[in-house]
Amino acid sequence: MDKLFAAPGPGQSPLAVVFSPDVIRGNITSRKLRHEGLSAVLFDRVGDAVDAACAGATRVFVFDTAGALADELRFLSRVCDAWPENLALLIVLGDQPPELPGPAHGGDVRVLRDPLDLERVASLAKQACAGRPAQPVQPAQLGRSGQSEQTRGAEESDLEAELKDFLRLT
Amino acid sequence: MARVPKILGVIGPKGGVGKTTISANLAIALTRAGANVVAMDLDLGSANLHVVFGLRNVRHTLDDFLVNKVASLDAVVMDTAVPGLKLIAGGNVPGIASLPYQRKVKLLRHLRKLDCDYLLLDLAAGVTNNVVDFALIAQKSLLVTTPDVPSLMSLYSFLKTSVYRRLQLLFRSSGDARLLALLENAGDAEAHPELKTMADFFTQAALIDPELAERGAKVLARFDPLILVNRVKTASDMKAGRAISNLMDQFLGLHRGEILSIREDAAVGAAAARMQPALLSAPDCGFALDMRKLAGALGAASE
């Protein structure tokens, strides 16, 4: 198994499995998940990633399709067809993901067009690991509509209040 | 027929936020996407864009054109090691930052004649009229900030000044002293709390001259700056863009601004130490990915 970056301790299975053909991008994603408190393991070989995602306590499988080969993309359909019971969410990253069959066992598939939309990946993964259904999201895009639901929901952050105060806008 | 360049203004109202680094790397990202780019150092009197490219022997600078040592702006355009990218380096002639009006107009006239797809202006820090006016001629303003409060405050001040300058120019050209006076009052929100937001201003302006007020609102509706939050390290840092965007919406009537976060990356500092842009020395680093994303967002074709 070509495991690039393993966080869980001996005998533990990760909550999140990340597959990315781009090691740097994959590393960024898995680090983000770990930063958010989720154990995450990165693979650059899809077969190993699928094996890990279908085993143990893995709840989230992040599959980066940007730059993936056709053979690797076929594994996506296989995951959806034979959806493992442990898996709550498959996050597909990339501009042009293949058409996927609906997941079995009540799992969920989310497609994010921007493979580096880390806030959304983390937000969705955390919801799935907490056992909550993922909130609907819009395709990733630059700009205001690209803000995560969490950020959007925060009407006025501490930072904004501080800025208003300093700028005498209150 | 000569092509007219798309002018991008890179502005960092607070110094030290990474504006020049972003200018250099964005210029490379645009060329890598197939565009011809001229990067111009308009940080008059404190120019250092050429240093980011490691260029030591600069024969002519923009100052030579501004003080009439050379007749044409083309004469100060120099090649770089990056195919498709040319540079106009800035100089350090004392007093050059206080550009007289005639020289500014001359420069603005010549800028549009440069033969390239993108003309990228690396502007000085601060909120001077020169910077604001150069920013006004850009089709797209890229405002660079870091996620800290002082930097965000400078950014807001720059946006506010830009908004007022745009409206001031419109009202002056229309010869409406009443709206100019109202605008001046709106600039002092403490003395005129009834004009705290641009929405308040336009409500009052419509009572004076509804047609001109509507034209003013349209001028602002076309202003669509791109806010670049640089050196983002944490999820909390990413909220800086949202905070400033909310203030733009609420107080300045700017509803079209977009935000892009650029991550903190050790590769950038390492590249600077080697006097080489990160896109050349570490093309796969996170910062480089963000620069390519930015180039794509600006309409450059993907690599």
Side-chain angles (χ1 to χ4, degrees):
Chain A
M1 185 181 287
D2 197 1
K3 209 186 279 186
L4 290 173
F5 202 113
Q12 292 178 297
S13 60
L15 281 172
V17 165
V18 178
F19 163 72
S20 176
D22 182 312
V23 175
I24 294 173
R25 204 166 53 229
N27 225 329
I28 291 168
T29 308
S30 50
R31 277 186 189 201
K32 173 66 182 174
L33 292 173
R34 282 194 291 278
H35 185 73
E36 296 291 331
L38 303 178
S39 54
V41 180
L42 169 66
F43 297 85
D44 68 348
R45 282 164 49 173
V46 69
D48 295 341
V50 170
D51 287 346
C54 295
T58 299
R59 300 283 293 159
V60 179
F61 184 15
V62 181
F63 194 117
D64 181 356
T65 65
L69 303 172
D71 280 345
E72 292 169 325
L73 293 176
R74 274 187 215 112
F75 276 84
L76 262 180
S77 302
R78 279 170 52 184
V79 172
C80 289
D81 282 332
W83 191 270
E85 284 189 19
N86 57 290
L87 200 63
L89 176 65
L90 169 63
I91 301 176
V92 183
L93 305 177
D95 238 356
Q96 293 175 311
E99 286 202 8
L100 298 171
H105 300 304
D108 198 2
V109 179
R110 294 298 162 123
V111 178
L112 301 181
R113 288 176 60 196
D114 181 354
L116 281 171
D117 195 345
L118 302 178
E119 288 303 310
R120 287 188 184 180
V121 171
S123 168
L124 290 169
K126 279 164 76 177
Q127 286 172 19
C129 290
R132 283 178 286 147
Q135 295 300 307
V137 291
Q138 299 298 315
Q141 59 183 32
L142 180 73
R144 291 171 180 216
S145 54
Q147 297 291 314
S148 72
E149 296 298 317
Q150 266 183 335
T151 314
R152 194 191 298 275
E155 283 299 318
E156 183 176 313
S157 65
D158 291 346
L159 176 62
E160 191 179 326
E162 209 161 7
L163 277 173
K164 276 186 182 172
D165 198 31
F166 277 117
L167 291 164
R168 299 183 176 189
L169 295 172
T170 48
Chain B
M1 196 171 119
R3 57 189 157 175
V4 177
K6 179 173 183 180
I7 301 177
L8 306 173
V10 183
I11 304 143
K14 175 106 171 37
V17 293
K19 163 184 64 67
T20 301
T21 302
I22 286 175
S23 295
N25 286 283
L26 173 60
I28 296 171
L30 289 167
T31 61
R32 293 283 160 84
N36 285 303
V37 179
V38 173
M40 175 185 269
D41 197 339
L42 266 175
D43 193 346
L44 300 174
S46 181
N48 58 9
L49 184 59
H50 60 288
V51 178
V52 179
F53 286 100
L55 298 171
R56 293 170 192 274
N57 300 316
V58 177
R59 199 161 155 235
H60 287 299
T61 69
L62 180 61
D63 294 6
D64 295 335
F65 173 74
L66 293 173
V67 299
N68 297 320
K69 273 192 192 169
V70 297
S72 156
L73 197 54
D74 286 324
V76 298
V77 176
M78 59 193 284
D79 287 321
T80 69
V82 181
L85 174 60
K86 292 177 187 287
L87 178 72
I88 298 178
N92 56 4
V93 171
I96 198 76
S98 311
L99 205 59
Y101 177 76
Q102 290 81 359
R103 285 189 193 166
K104 187 160 67 178
V105 170
K106 176 188 166 189
L107 179 57
L108 293 175
R109 212 175 48 238
H110 280 74
L111 288 181
R112 293 195 177 90
K113 294 180 187 164
L114 287 169
D115 182 27
C116 57
D117 299 312
Y118 288 94
L119 172 60
L120 195 149
L121 309 178
D122 181 32
L123 293 162
V127 192
T128 63
N129 272 354
N130 269 345
V131 178
V132 173
D133 287 348
F134 283 126
L136 281 179
I137 65 153
Q139 277 99 332
K140 191 79 175 175
S141 293
L142 313 182
L143 293 162
V144 184
T145 180
T146 44
D148 54 283
V149 170
S151 185
L152 292 166
M153 283 175 69
S154 296
L155 176 70
Y156 181 86
S157 299
F158 183 88
L159 285 165
K160 186 174 177 184
T161 305
S162 292
V163 163
Y164 277 63
R165 184 83 171 142
R166 278 160 200 259
L167 294 177
Q168 202 179 44
L169 291 172
L170 172 70
F171 297 154
R172 265 194 203 148
S173 66
S174 306
D176 195 319
R178 294 167 304 165
L179 286 194
L180 274 171
L182 186 71
L183 187 65
E184 196 172 322
N185 289 342
D188 186 358
E190 279 180 31
H192 296 276
E194 76 282 5
L195 295 171
K196 191 182 244 180
T197 69
M198 285 316 293
D200 295 334
F201 168 79
F202 282 119
T203 303
Q204 296 286 327
L207 298 175
I208 297 169
D209 186 335
E211 196 186 327
L212 193 52
E214 195 183 334
R215 281 173 61 198
K218 280 182 182 164
V219 164
L220 292 197
R222 279 193 293 272
F223 184 32
D224 59 345
L226 174 54
I227 311 295
L228 303 176
V229 185
N230 194 22
R231 296 188 192 146
V232 167
K233 283 180 267 194
T234 63
S236 163
D237 287 346
M238 295 181 85
K239 289 179 183 166
R242 167 58 37 188
I244 205 75
S245 156
N246 283 348
L247 298 188
M248 285 162 64
D249 253 339
Q250 205 179 332
F251 294 96
L252 300 179
L254 297 177
H255 311 299
R256 287 185 60 204
E258 293 179 317
I259 302 149
L260 183 67
S261 294
I262 299 169
R263 75 197 81 176
E264 170 84 339
D265 193 327
V268 178
R274 286 195 294 270
M275 286 202 283
Q276 205 178 25
L279 243 86
L280 297 183
S281 60
D284 295 322
C285 71
F287 175 81
L289 288 175
D290 290 342
M291 286 299 102
R292 286 195 279 271
K293 187 173 171 182
L294 172 58
L298 293 169
S302 55
E303 287 178 70

